[in-house]
């Protein structure tokens, strides 16, 4: 449960103040050890986006493109 909450906090950080992409990717790696199914990850991501307006998918894609930079997402 703590690891899943850490993932949502990392997504929020990416949208609100920025987070090193490497930290975001590490948090996602730990998240995937708990949530192994891509279907479940997508479902949880959609639910979180519906509540917060922040997209796990888009943040993850941006972090993968520039893993050595600060991840700062725009919009909600």
């Amino acid at each position: 449960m703590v690891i899943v909450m850490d993932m949502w906090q990392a997504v929020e950080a990416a949208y609100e103040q920025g987070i090193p992409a490497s930290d975001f990717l590490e948090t996602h790696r730990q998240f995937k050890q708990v949530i192994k199914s891509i279907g479940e990850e997508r479902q949880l991501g959609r639910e979180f986006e519906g509540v917060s307006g922040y997209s796990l998918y888009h943040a993850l894609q941006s972090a993968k493109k520039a893993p050595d930079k600060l991840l700062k997402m725009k919009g909600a």
Side-chain angles (χ1 to χ4, degrees):
M1 189 61 115
V2 173
I3 292 172
V4 174
M5 290 304 298
D6 287 346
M7 184 76 262
W8 304 139
Q9 289 172 347
V11 174
E12 287 178 349
Y15 278 88
E16 293 174 3
Q17 70 263 8
I19 182 173
S22 58
D23 291 354
F24 185 89
L25 292 170
E26 176 59 23
T27 301
H28 184 260
R29 185 189 65 75
Q30 293 173 3
F31 175 75
K32 288 302 291 177
Q33 290 179 343
V34 175
I35 307 298
K36 296 184 186 327
S37 161
I38 189 70
E40 188 176 2
E41 178 182 355
R42 287 178 181 166
Q43 178 184 354
L44 291 171
R46 281 192 301 269
E47 289 173 8
F48 181 76
E49 186 173 359
V51 171
S52 68
Y54 300 152
S55 171
L56 168 61
Y57 175 79
H58 289 115
L60 182 59
Q61 295 306 309
S62 294
K64 285 179 177 179
K65 287 180 186 173
D68 57 339
K69 301 204 175 192
L70 182 70
L71 176 62
K72 178 70 173 110
M73 302 297 293
K74 295 186 190 305

